[in-house]
Amino acid sequence: MEKEVKENQPQSQAEDSAVGSSKRAEGDAKSLGVFSFEGDIPMSQAIPLGLQHVLAMFVGNLTPLLIVTSACGLAGGEFADVQLALLQNAMLIAGVVTLVQIFGIGPVGGRVPIIMGTSSGFIGVFNSVAASMGGGLVAYGAIMGASLVGGLFETVLGFFLKPLRKFFPAIVTGTVVLSIGLSLISVGVNAFGGGSSAADFGSLENFCLALIVLVAILAVKHATTGFVSASSILVGIIVGYIAAGIMGLVLPTTGVTADGVEYTKAWVLNWDKVAAAAWFAIPNPLPVAPVFDMRAIAPVLVMFIVTAVETVGDISGVTQGGMDREATDKELSGGVVCDGVGSSFAALFGVLPNTSFSQNVGLVTMTKMVNRKALACGAVFLILCGLCPKLGAVVSIMPQSVLGGAAVIMFASIVVSGIQLITRDPLTPRNLSIVSVALGLGYGIGANPAILAGSPQMVSLIFGGSGIVAAAAVAIVLNVVLPKDKAISPKTDANA
């Protein structure tokens, strides 16, 4: 009995210390301002800080919908209005689910500085579903039905996350966060060049515009302090808009491909799109009726397990990078539950699963801006974009190279957060093996999916689409299989 009491004393002391730290943090919240989750800041600061979160994820929030609707044949013609309605709903849903995530409703929501948005992790699986079902509204309806069921499945998984937490120590979540950052760096670099699909990708104009944004961000970040420093991403993007506008006045805005086809350069601001957008529109629920088909449900359920792991990594990333601590069981559980509930809710509006946005994890880790009030302003702006298409149009015309100038540094910040999590515990031979094999084999396979060409289609869909999935799977398995390191007691160390 005495032994049990002694063993429990360190744990009790640790819990008391955590409670004390939490109370001190709450007491200092107002003085910390933008750098505290509970900080009380004026709206004049909260609005621009929230807006930069929206700018960081706006394009990424809509891109998965554009890709999947195109795969289903809903990109134009008679289905053009359907696609526009889905894009409008995507902004509204992202705002609503973000508010639930940061404020919480009972057990739903981690109450952490996370921005929610349309997940790109499901694109591979959804495109395969569209191909196997012949496209059209039936295929997209099957995707919605699978998302509805999968979201409920992830919700249940979130409630049982605490007993599963032992499978996600810092070495595992750190590896997942590191993989998330590595997978996003190429996305940032592509945007830096103007977007790989652009006819003038890699042009000098795109490169210079992105470089202007990057230099502006670094200058504001390190030449100022407090609120202005935390707004560096927003300032950089505004500078990018101004620079793009000036470029449009002094440089040619069109080019000609090698085939003689004229095109508009990627950095040109399309203000006609803003002028054509409506001032107000009410989103419609169930724009596409859900269809429940096991051909879609089975692979999507597996992807929701992967999504839960990614969310654990994202929450660990923001708490480590923005709050300098590890995430609690309650935060992780509430965050995953919100992922599931939000995804099912999104399916009712014809939107793809809503999950934590890794792009914004990079923004938090770079700026240390974790203020809930500012994040809420960003979420409200997303809702307004869903109700006022003209606001959304202003953000949607942002040149990819402007986004890329900010993205390269934000996404690299996620890598740094992953390294910080990994090195939180000593880098023993066991931990080094977990990280090395997970990144070398797991992330390597995901980054080079051609190696899975001879594998079953299900394996290729799950592990070939993202290095995050494979790295997470390898890290979890190795953490369970490899023997634990033997702790060296002080007595043994003294005798030595």
Side-chain angles (χ1 to χ4, degrees):
M1 180 65 70
E2 290 182 4
K3 185 177 181 180
E4 290 181 2
V5 172
K6 289 180 180 179
E7 287 177 348
N8 287 333
Q9 282 178 350
Q11 182 178 355
S12 299
Q13 292 171 357
E15 290 176 353
D16 292 341
S17 176
V19 171
S21 298
S22 177
K23 289 181 178 178
R24 286 193 300 273
E26 291 176 4
D28 294 338
K30 290 189 177 182
S31 61
L32 290 172
V34 298
F35 305 109
S36 168
F37 187 60
E38 302 284 351
D40 185 15
I41 61 175
M43 293 299 292
S44 59
Q45 293 184 9
I47 291 174
L49 289 173
L51 182 59
Q52 72 178 356
H53 271 283
V54 175
L55 294 174
M57 58 80 71
F58 195 89
V59 175
N61 184 48
L62 301 181
T63 300
L65 261 174
L66 293 172
I67 295 173
V68 175
T69 52
S70 297
C72 292
L74 307 179
E78 60 179 313
F79 299 115
D81 291 339
V82 174
Q83 187 188 47
L84 288 175
L86 296 177
L87 293 173
Q88 181 185 349
N89 288 357
M91 293 182 284
L92 175 71
I93 297 302
V96 172
V97 179
T98 296
L99 289 175
V100 175
Q101 183 71 281
I102 60 179
F103 286 102
I105 299 176
V108 182
R111 296 167 177 82
V112 287
I114 286 283
I115 296 292
M116 307 293 284
T118 308
S119 174
S120 60
F122 290 82
I123 291 176
V125 173
F126 287 160
N127 283 351
S128 175
V129 170
S132 64
M133 299 191 67
L137 288 176
V138 174
Y140 196 81
I143 290 172
M144 290 301 99
S147 298
L148 185 61
V149 174
L152 296 176
F153 171 71
E154 188 182 9
T155 300
V156 175
L157 186 64
F159 283 115
F160 291 95
L161 194 64
K162 185 173 182 178
L164 298 175
R165 178 73 189 275
K166 63 182 179 182
F167 297 109
F168 303 104
I171 192 67
V172 172
T173 55
T175 302
V176 174
V177 172
L178 182 57
S179 300
I180 291 171
L182 291 173
S183 68
L184 288 173
I185 285 178
S186 61
V187 177
V189 171
N190 279 333
F192 199 93
S196 56
S197 61
D200 60 337
F201 175 66
S203 68
L204 186 61
E205 293 105 319
N206 283 318
F207 185 83
C208 289
L209 182 57
L211 202 58
I212 289 171
V213 174
L214 179 59
V215 171
I217 290 171
L218 291 175
V220 174
K221 176 67 179 174
H222 297 286
T224 62
T225 58
F227 163 70
V228 178
S229 179
S231 305
S232 58
I233 297 294
L234 176 61
V235 174
I237 289 176
I238 291 174
V239 169
Y241 267 88
I242 295 172
I246 295 173
M247 289 169 62
L249 296 175
V250 300
L251 295 176
T253 57
T254 59
V256 180
T257 66
D259 299 328
V261 179
E262 188 177 18
Y263 65 89
T264 301
K265 295 183 178 180
W267 51 265
V268 177
L269 296 171
N270 183 13
W271 293 108
D272 291 338
K273 184 177 180 180
V274 179
W279 280 103
F280 181 75
I282 299 176
N284 297 317
L286 292 177
V288 178
V291 176
F292 300 97
D293 191 305
M294 283 307 298
R295 289 177 294 175
I297 293 174
V300 169
L301 286 180
V302 177
M303 283 306 303
F304 268 101
I305 297 176
V306 174
T307 294
V309 176
E310 288 189 34
T311 298
V312 169
D314 283 339
I315 294 176
S316 299
V318 294
T319 54
Q320 175 64 47
M323 299 175 167
D324 298 319
R325 64 171 177 81
E326 285 193 52
T328 65
D329 290 335
K330 186 177 181 180
E331 289 170 340
L332 292 175
S333 177
V336 173
V337 170
C338 185
D339 254 26
V341 172
S343 295
S344 295
F345 179 63
L348 296 177
F349 283 81
V351 179
L352 304 182
N354 255 240
T355 63
S356 57
F357 241 57
S358 300
Q359 288 92 324
N360 296 85
V361 174
L363 180 57
V364 168
T365 55
M366 177 192 165
T367 64
K368 303 293 184 181
M369 200 293 293
V370 297
N371 186 268
R372 177 161 57 183
K373 188 175 180 180
L375 294 170
C377 286
V380 170
F381 185 80
L382 279 171
I383 294 173
L384 291 176
C385 287
L387 298 173
C388 178
K390 196 173 286 290
L391 275 178
V394 172
V395 180
S396 68
I397 66 171
M398 183 197 311
Q400 279 287 293
S401 49
V402 171
L403 178 62
V408 288
I409 189 169
M410 289 192 301
F411 297 165
S413 298
I414 301 177
V415 174
V416 176
S417 290
I419 295 172
Q420 289 176 329
L421 275 170
I422 290 170
T423 56
R424 178 175 283 270
D425 296 326
L427 281 178
T428 62
R430 177 182 183 274
N431 287 348
L432 282 173
S433 295
I434 292 174
V435 177
S436 300
V437 178
L439 292 179
L441 179 61
Y443 183 79
I445 289 175
N448 299 276
I451 197 173
L452 299 175
S455 303
Q457 186 181 24
M458 182 72 71
V459 175
S460 298
L461 283 174
I462 295 172
F463 295 104
S466 169
I468 304 168
V469 179
V474 173
I476 292 170
V477 170
L478 289 180
N479 180 61
V480 173
V481 172
L482 293 181
K484 305 292 182 183
D485 292 313
K486 293 182 179 179
I488 300 176
S489 64
K491 183 182 290 186
T492 304
D493 195 38
N495 291 337

